[in-house]
Structure formats: structure tokens, C-alpha cells
Amino acid sequence: MQVEVKLDPERKEIGIVVLAPAPSPELDELVRRLEAEQLSPLRGWQEDTMTLLPQSQVVRCYAQDKRVYATVDGGTVYLLRERLYELEEQLDRGKFVRISNGEIINLDKVTAVDLSLTGTIRMTLGEAGYAYVSRRYVKKIK
């Protein structure tokens, strides 16, 4: 398979063109995987107002008081109607990682990692504060 990348500063979004000599199961699988990779925004709620939250702006998603919240750049918090396990499937696996049973963070937003002698990991998330990695998920983070 040949991969070619063309950069065009005039484009506003990424587009993919697949060239193939004939239909094949490999081509169908490739198209299916590319379509699945489209990152849909999260739907965040504040009172009765819904806001689409681009995944690139989400800092963390966490459970608190039997509800799920998302913190975005700037520190604004939105209520989400999905459960954490549903978000884990929906979010970009290359950028988002579950660090405990109650929290998923965006690795792009981590500004510092503090490894203590007791084996805990504290991640600084810029303006959003700190997040601690549960012992169960330390191996996954390392």
C-alpha cells in the first residue's frame, strides 16, 4: 500500500482519497476503519442549553455524584448524558486515556507528571487542576 500526503494551507479540514484498482475486502475494511475514526464532538449541557464540545478542547471527563461532567479549555464544566464507558468508546483512543474508574483525561492537555515515591502519579492539567492515576491504571499510563 502506498501512502501519500499532500499539504494544502488553503484547506480548512483534512480529507482522504483512497485510490484502488478494484473493490476488495481489504478496501472495504480500510474505508470502514477510516469512517469510524471521525471524531464526533461531545454534547455538553449547562441548564437547558446544549453545546457541541470539540474533542480537542476537552481536558477531562469525570464522574461525580452519579453524573458525568466534562471540563474544557478555560475551565468551563458541562454535564454529559453519556456514561464514562460510552465516552471511552467515543473519544479518540490516541489522545484520551482512562486513569481511574471515575476519570478520563486528554493526554494533550497534561502539562506535568509527578511520580512520587509511593507509586502514585499526579498529572497537572493546566487550568483544570490535578488528576491522580489510580494504581490499577498506572501500568497503562507508563
Side-chain angles (χ1 to χ4, degrees):
M1 180 186 315
Q2 177 184 353
V3 177
E4 182 179 333
V5 177
K6 292 182 180 180
L7 301 177
D8 182 3
E10 301 295 320
R11 290 193 63 92
K12 295 194 188 313
E13 62 183 39
I14 295 173
I16 298 174
V17 176
V18 178
L19 304 172
S24 69
E26 181 185 45
L27 178 62
D28 294 339
E29 175 66 15
L30 178 62
V31 170
R32 185 190 63 74
R33 290 180 66 192
L34 287 171
E35 288 174 344
E37 287 297 319
Q38 293 179 352
L39 302 176
S40 59
L42 303 179
R43 292 182 310 272
W45 297 84
Q46 285 185 328
E47 296 178 13
D48 291 337
T49 306
M50 187 206 49
T51 305
L52 292 177
L53 310 173
Q55 289 190 20
S56 61
Q57 293 180 5
V58 175
V59 176
R60 66 190 276 242
C61 298
Y62 61 96
Q64 183 178 357
D65 300 328
K66 297 186 180 183
R67 292 181 170 227
V68 178
Y69 299 93
T71 304
V72 296
D73 291 334
T76 307
V77 177
Y78 293 90
L79 174 67
L80 303 177
R81 295 194 174 162
E82 294 89 358
R83 298 283 169 228
L84 279 177
Y85 71 89
E86 295 170 333
L87 289 173
E88 195 171 17
E89 294 172 3
Q90 185 180 350
L91 294 169
D92 181 6
R93 289 188 177 106
K95 294 183 180 183
F96 289 88
V97 65
R98 191 167 196 142
I99 62 166
S100 68
N101 283 339
E103 189 164 8
I104 300 171
I105 63 164
N106 185 344
L107 290 174
D108 288 345
K109 305 297 181 179
V110 175
T111 58
V113 177
D114 180 22
L115 304 170
S116 73
L117 294 175
T118 60
T120 59
I121 299 175
R122 182 176 94 168
M123 296 184 159
T124 305
L125 301 170
E127 299 170 2
Y130 303 100
Y132 289 90
V133 179
S134 170
R135 288 184 188 198
R136 173 188 248 174
Y137 293 92
V138 167
K139 195 175 209 179
K140 188 176 181 182
I141 298 298
K142 286 184 179 181

